[in-house]
């Protein structure tokens, strides 16, 4: 692959604050390098040491990595454990029984706190209730729940009895839910009567009924319903039960089901940004290990931290950094039901101030929309809130444009808090490439360096390493404990997607493009491999042009795609959302010209978008990621025939269809 040219030179560097570095779990670059060196010297020994130190094993493992059926790798194979035991019982023994585990804030602001002792009791009761319904180890349970304590309890209870959960985000349609119930072969569904978002009550049980009525869910025997609002729901005799009845009279102790290290803890479908969602299957031990280590390394978690990850439990971020990681390391965490814009766009900042959050982890899409909101309304600008409790910020889900990073750094972190830009995927189970807050000098827009033990590299189409400064394909060269084990029910697709023949079935293919800085070796994600643009033989990542656009003071968000072009092979089409309302007519033409010139100056004439279309928003997955594959179709002027099951806002497609 030829070089991705003109990769924007980002020269701003932010060193870890001295105080932070002094007290950090990984303190200074030397400590980081030492861990990396340990992994390189003795890869299996490194992971075995960490697995022994971090997990409480019921039966210790004797083999670390089994590669005989590669790429179906097995880690700590003969060990036995229980993930829920590690998250809960261990805290009771370690003196955390009375510590707050969860601070739950409902959409309407009502706060409920739960100690580790209470959470343990709730999980045990529900686990006993599931067992009483005949649900057992190896069964699959689909969870279609609002953000709630009950959602976390449901996941932990499944883990406790060895049932494999598959959480489906509460914003998904009946069709998406039905497909996932069928694909997983679920025997039970845990849902709620309704969910509440932004002051509105939205159905869940009714959608679940619709999904089941579509047919094909024959394996499904029980539907357990958490009463969130008391809204009116239909009940099917013999199938549907209230959660409160399932737990009634159940003891608050439940002997955990000891499972093998490789036992599937969960199946989770990817976001569907690039195609039909894949049912990613994760293990128990390897996954747990990495969620714990990344809590300690990336988030530098300390006993007094108030940790807040704003993701939904329907995404992998909610699995690793709400349900499992924080509890396994004994953290106090915030769980939030609502949306960032209700009752106003200051909600996040208000919650940080009220709960004295110390670590805040959110997505670029939220940051970009809150920048836009703060620009439009002084009252919700973060400067009006006391954010002094914060000590660390994080970003996940998409590349964060340098200008959004700077806003986050200045306005939320007040230039005190490091930002960890964590690159990872549903498939990787936890962070892969990320700064360490007490060690890594930060560069806006770069996820910097791989965590110790993660052998990430940038290669060409034949799998050969590329020198720094040349953009290519992001791969991981060695298996790691928390990696995807297979695609549920489709091992062939697993092999083809992640360990393709072109790379000798040996390199894990992330599907993203990356470039490493010539001096620092830092990684920057350039966009999805499928999204690389080729204009007159110049290869460019989408991220770079989008970041240049977002750096313009008028622009809130931008997405760039290629469009076939007779003379240049491909031309650049940019979809832009302004901070102000959508321009039309002459004004649109005028601003488009301004932006074109701007990109020309920022990157070079070759990167100037040939066409710019303005929208009120961009097509996004329900997890907030831009779906460029749909924009590619629109740019070409074709009708969309692809899978749009995970698209959040279908109406926007019509608006963006027209060239302006
Ligand atoms: P699908 O696999 O179905 O297309 P998806 O890849 O969006 O969906 P996820 O697993 O939720 O599903 O997202 C992982 C992807 O998100 C990564 O491959 C990468 O493209 C992007 N991503 C996540 N975090 C970052 C980050 N910090 N910087 C850049 N990109 C990121
Ligand atoms: Mg993906």
């Amino acid at each position: 692959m030829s070089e991705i040219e003109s990769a924007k030179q980002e020269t701003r560097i932010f060193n870890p604050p001295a105080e932070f570095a002094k007290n950090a779990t990984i303190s200074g670059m030397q400590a980081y390098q030492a861990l990396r060196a340990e992994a390189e010297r003795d890869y299996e020994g490194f992971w075995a040491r960490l697995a022994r130190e971090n997990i409480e094993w019921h039966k210790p493992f004797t083999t670390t990595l089994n590669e005989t059926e590669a790429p179906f790798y097995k880690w700590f194979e003969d060990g036995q454990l229980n993930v829920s035991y590690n998250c809960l019982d261990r805290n009771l023994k370690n003196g955390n029984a009375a510590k707050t585990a969860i601070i739950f804030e409902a959409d309407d602001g009502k706060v409920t706190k739960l100690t580790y002792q209470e959470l343990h009791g709730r999980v045990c009761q529900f686990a006993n209730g599931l067992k009483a319904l005949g649900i057992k180890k190896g069964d699959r349970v689909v969870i279609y729940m609002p953000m709630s304590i009950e959602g976390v309890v449901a996941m932990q209870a499944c883990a406790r009895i060895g049932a494999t959960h598959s959480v489906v985000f509460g914003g998904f349609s009946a069709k998406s839910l039905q497909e996932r119930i069928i694909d997983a072969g679920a025997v039970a569904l845990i849902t709620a009567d309704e969910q509440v978002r932004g002051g509105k009550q939205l159905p869940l049980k009714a959608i679940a009924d619709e999904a089941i009525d579509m047919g094909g869910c024959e394996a499904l025997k029980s539907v357990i319903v958490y009463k969130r609002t008391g809204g009116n729901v239909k009940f099917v005799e013999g199938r549907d039960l209230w959660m409160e009845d399932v737990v009634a009279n159940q003891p608050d102790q439940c002997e955990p089901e000891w499972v093998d290290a490789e036992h599937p803890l969960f199946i989770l479908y990817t976001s569907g940004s690039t195609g039909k969602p894949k049912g990613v299957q994760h293990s128990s031990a390897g996954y747990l290990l990495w969620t714990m280590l990344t809590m300690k390394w990336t988030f530098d978690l300390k006993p007094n931290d108030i940790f807040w990850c704003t993701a939904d439990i329907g995404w992998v971020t909610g699995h690793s950094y709400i349900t499992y990681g924080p509890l396994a390391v004994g953290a106090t965490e915030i769980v939030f039901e609502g949306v960032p814009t209700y009752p106003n766009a200051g909600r996040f900042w208000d919650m940080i101030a009220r709960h004295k959050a110390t670590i805040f982890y959110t997505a670029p899409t939220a940051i970009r929309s809150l920048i836009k909101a703060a620009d439009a309304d002084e009252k919700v600008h973060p400067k009006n809130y006391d954010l002094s409790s914060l000590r660390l910020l994080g970003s996940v889900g998409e590349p964060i444009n340098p200008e959004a990073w700077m806003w986050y750094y200045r306005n939320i972190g007040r230039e005190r808090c490091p930002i960890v830009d964590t690159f990872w995927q549903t498939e990787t189970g936890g962070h892969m490439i990320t700064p360490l807050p007490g060690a890594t000098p930060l560069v806006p827009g770069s996820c910097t360096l791989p965590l110790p033990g993660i052998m990430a590299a940038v290669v060409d189409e034949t799998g050969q390493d590329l020198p720094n400064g040349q953009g290519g394909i992001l791969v991981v060269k060695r298996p790691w404990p928390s990696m995807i084990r297979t695609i549920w029910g489709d091992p062939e697709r697993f092999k083809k997607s992640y360990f393709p023949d072109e790379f000798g079935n040996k390199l894990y293919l992330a599907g993203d493009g990356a470039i490493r800085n010539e001096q620092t070796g830092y990684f920057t994600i350039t966009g999805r491999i499928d999204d690389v643009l080729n204009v007159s033989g110049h290869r460019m990542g989408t991220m770079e042009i989008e970041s240049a656009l977002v750096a313009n003071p008028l622009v809130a968000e931008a997405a760039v795609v290629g469009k076939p072009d007779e003379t240049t092979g491909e031309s650049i089409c940019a979809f832009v959302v302004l901070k102000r309302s959508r321009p039309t007519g002459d004004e649109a033409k005028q601003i488009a010209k301004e932006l074109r010139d701007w990109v020309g100056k920022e990157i070079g004439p070759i990167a100037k978008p040939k066409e710019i279309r303005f929208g009120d928003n961009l097509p996004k997955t329900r997890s907030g990621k831009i779906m460029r594959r749909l924009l590619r179709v629109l740019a070409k002027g074709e009708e969309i025939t692809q899978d749009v099951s995970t698209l959040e806002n279908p109406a926007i497609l019509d608006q963006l269809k027209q060239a302006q």
Side-chain angles (χ1 to χ4, degrees):
M1 177 182 280
S2 69
E3 189 174 346
I4 292 184
E5 288 168 53
S6 68
K8 191 163 168 246
Q9 292 299 308
E10 174 62 65
T11 49
R12 293 171 284 199
I13 294 188
F14 301 87
N15 286 308
E19 243 337 85
F20 198 113
K22 201 174 85 199
N23 300 315
T25 307
I26 298 184
S27 175
M29 284 308 267
Q30 264 180 349
Y32 163 69
Q33 295 296 0
L35 279 167
R36 271 184 74 149
E38 183 191 343
E40 260 153 51
R41 217 167 35 240
D42 175 11
Y43 195 64
E44 290 189 32
F46 168 80
W47 288 115
R49 172 177 78 77
L50 293 167
R52 290 194 181 102
E53 286 173 7
N54 285 279
I55 292 177
E56 195 170 320
W57 295 90
H58 179 64
K59 173 173 168 260
F61 62 93
T62 60
T63 60
T64 303
L65 171 62
N66 176 349
E67 303 192 70
T68 50
E69 287 165 51
F72 300 92
Y73 298 98
K74 297 187 181 76
W75 284 91
F76 320 119
E77 209 181 348
D78 58 345
Q80 287 194 331
L81 78 165
N82 180 279
V83 171
S84 155
Y85 179 90
N86 272 268
C87 293
L88 302 172
D89 306 54
R90 188 162 49 164
N91 278 301
L92 305 193
K93 288 194 301 185
N94 290 352
N96 278 343
K99 182 174 178 176
T100 301
I102 295 179
I103 302 170
F104 174 71
E105 180 159 322
D107 188 71
D108 65 3
K110 181 164 182 278
V111 175
T112 311
K113 293 185 184 176
L114 216 63
T115 63
Y116 272 94
Q117 182 79 61
E118 289 163 335
L119 182 60
H120 175 269
R122 296 274 295 267
V123 169
C124 286
Q125 280 189 320
F126 193 49
N128 286 325
L130 292 176
K131 284 204 288 197
L133 289 171
I135 299 163
K136 56 184 189 311
K137 178 170 156 182
D139 283 343
R140 273 85 57 210
V141 175
V142 167
I143 298 177
Y144 183 59
M145 294 275 274
M147 283 297 288
S148 54
I149 291 171
E150 287 70 14
V152 175
V153 166
M155 293 167 79
Q156 285 280 351
C158 286
R160 194 155 192 99
I161 65 170
T164 299
H165 60 67
S166 184
V167 183
V168 177
F169 173 58
F172 277 132
S173 66
K175 184 86 193 119
S176 300
L177 177 60
Q178 179 225 20
E179 281 168 8
R180 287 161 176 73
I181 293 172
I182 296 174
D183 193 64
V187 301
L189 171 68
I190 306 170
T191 186
D193 51 357
E194 293 181 315
Q195 58 181 327
V196 188
R197 289 171 77 81
K200 286 200 249 338
Q201 287 178 219
L202 303 162
L204 278 177
K205 174 64 164 65
I207 297 176
D209 288 339
E210 202 186 323
I212 300 166
D213 289 344
M214 286 175 174
C217 308
E218 280 71 37
L220 197 76
K221 297 287 176 287
S222 318
V223 177
I224 302 164
V225 187
Y226 157 55
K227 200 179 281 175
R228 167 64 185 88
T229 62
N232 208 2
V233 293
K234 277 199 320 238
F235 254 51
V236 174
E237 198 63 38
R239 184 196 75 184
D240 299 354
L241 295 155
W242 289 111
M243 194 177 199
E244 58 196 48
D245 295 332
V246 172
V247 298
N249 308 320
Q250 290 295 348
D252 61 3
Q253 297 293 327
C254 173
E255 173 73 6
E257 183 75 39
W258 305 110
V259 300
D260 292 341
E262 283 295 319
H263 182 73
L265 179 64
F266 65 87
I267 304 164
L268 181 64
Y269 293 82
T270 57
S271 299
S273 309
T274 58
K276 189 170 181 293
K278 302 169 277 273
V280 172
Q281 179 183 321
H282 276 287
S283 69
S284 294
Y287 172 79
L288 174 67
L289 174 62
W290 201 226
T291 63
M292 293 183 70
L293 283 171
T294 48
M295 283 303 300
K296 294 178 184 176
W297 290 353
T298 313
F299 292 127
D300 188 50
L301 193 95
K302 297 286 193 298
N304 292 332
D305 273 317
I306 310 281
F307 178 80
W308 185 15
C309 164
T310 69
D312 193 282
I313 53 167
W315 314 122
V316 74
T317 307
H319 283 58
S320 302
Y321 302 109
I322 293 178
T323 302
Y324 293 113
L327 299 177
V329 299
T332 295
E333 63 170 330
I334 298 170
V335 176
F336 177 44
E337 177 183 47
V339 297
T341 48
Y342 178 84
N344 60 50
R347 182 70 181 262
F348 276 180
W349 324 136
D350 179 50
M351 281 181 62
I352 290 170
R354 277 190 290 109
H355 298 300
K356 305 212 171 350
T358 58
I359 305 174
F360 180 66
Y361 189 38
T362 197
T365 183
I367 297 167
R368 288 188 303 252
S369 76
L370 295 173
I371 294 174
K372 186 172 165 163
D375 247 48
D377 180 3
E378 270 287 291
K379 287 202 291 297
V380 295
H381 196 282
K383 68 182 177 204
N384 302 319
Y385 300 84
D386 176 9
L387 304 181
S388 59
S389 58
L390 287 172
R391 66 180 196 96
L392 176 60
L393 304 175
S395 170
V396 60
E398 282 186 297
I400 177 162
N401 316 104
E403 287 320 308
W405 193 102
M406 285 306 305
W407 186 91
Y408 196 29
Y409 186 74
R410 287 200 183 109
N411 293 285
I412 310 306
R414 309 277 156 92
E415 304 187 26
R416 265 185 309 107
C417 306
I419 299 179
V420 287
D421 174 5
T422 60
F423 167 82
W424 61 296
Q425 310 175 293
T426 308
E427 296 87 342
T428 68
H431 306 151
M432 296 296 278
I433 309 181
T434 174
L436 294 167
T440 321
L442 305 172
V443 171
S446 170
C447 50
T448 74
L449 296 167
L451 286 168
I454 301 301
M455 306 302 188
V458 179
V459 301
D460 67 14
E461 279 135 355
T462 64
Q464 296 304 306
D465 276 305
L466 284 170
N468 290 353
Q470 269 190 42
I473 297 166
L474 180 64
V475 296
V476 185
K477 292 187 160 178
R478 298 281 282 137
W480 67 101
S482 70
M483 67 191 292
I484 174 176
R485 292 307 194 263
T486 187
I487 291 179
W488 180 257
D490 199 348
E492 272 313 303
R493 188 172 177 209
F494 165 76
K495 258 177 113 160
K496 272 219 319 258
S497 308
Y498 305 112
F499 291 92
D501 294 343
E502 300 91 284
F503 299 109
N505 314 111
K506 279 217 155 346
L507 301 179
Y508 169 82
L509 181 75
D512 290 293
I515 185 168
R516 300 186 66 171
N517 182 280
E518 266 173 292
Q519 276 82 46
T520 57
Y522 278 14
F523 288 72
T524 291
I525 305 298
T526 50
R528 311 295 178 124
I529 297 174
D530 303 345
D531 292 339
V532 171
L533 304 166
N534 192 336
V535 184
S536 305
H538 299 265
R539 296 180 70 89
M540 281 172 284
T542 46
M543 156 75 168
E544 191 184 359
I545 306 170
E546 289 165 5
S547 289
L549 284 163
V550 172
N552 185 289
L554 293 175
V555 177
E557 277 198 291
V560 158
V561 297
K563 173 178 175 175
D565 187 287
E566 275 177 19
T567 45
T568 54
E570 231 175 0
S571 69
I572 299 167
C573 180
F575 294 83
V576 173
V577 181
L578 296 184
K579 286 180 185 162
R580 61 167 110 152
S581 59
R582 182 168 71 103
T584 50
D586 284 348
E587 195 198 3
K589 284 203 189 91
Q590 166 61 28
I591 296 176
K593 180 177 179 309
E594 221 173 279
L595 294 180
R596 224 175 276 123
D597 292 342
W598 170 274
V599 174
K601 273 211 286 303
E602 289 274 303
I603 305 177
I606 191 76
K608 277 190 183 181
K610 185 162 175 188
E611 187 183 339
I612 294 185
R613 295 188 197 176
F614 296 99
D616 295 323
N617 204 337
L618 298 169
K620 289 187 187 154
T621 62
R622 284 167 215 270
S623 54
K625 293 162 193 257
I626 300 168
M627 287 170 104
R628 293 183 190 74
R629 64 182 166 97
L630 300 182
L631 293 174
R632 264 202 302 273
V633 180
L634 294 185
K636 276 194 264 181
E638 290 172 1
E639 284 302 314
I640 289 169
T641 54
Q642 307 181 7
D643 182 308
V644 289
S645 59
T646 68
L647 176 64
E648 159 94 51
N649 47 350
I652 199 69
L653 297 177
D654 276 333
Q655 190 183 78
L656 297 171
K657 232 181 225 168
Q658 276 89 35
Q660 273 126 351

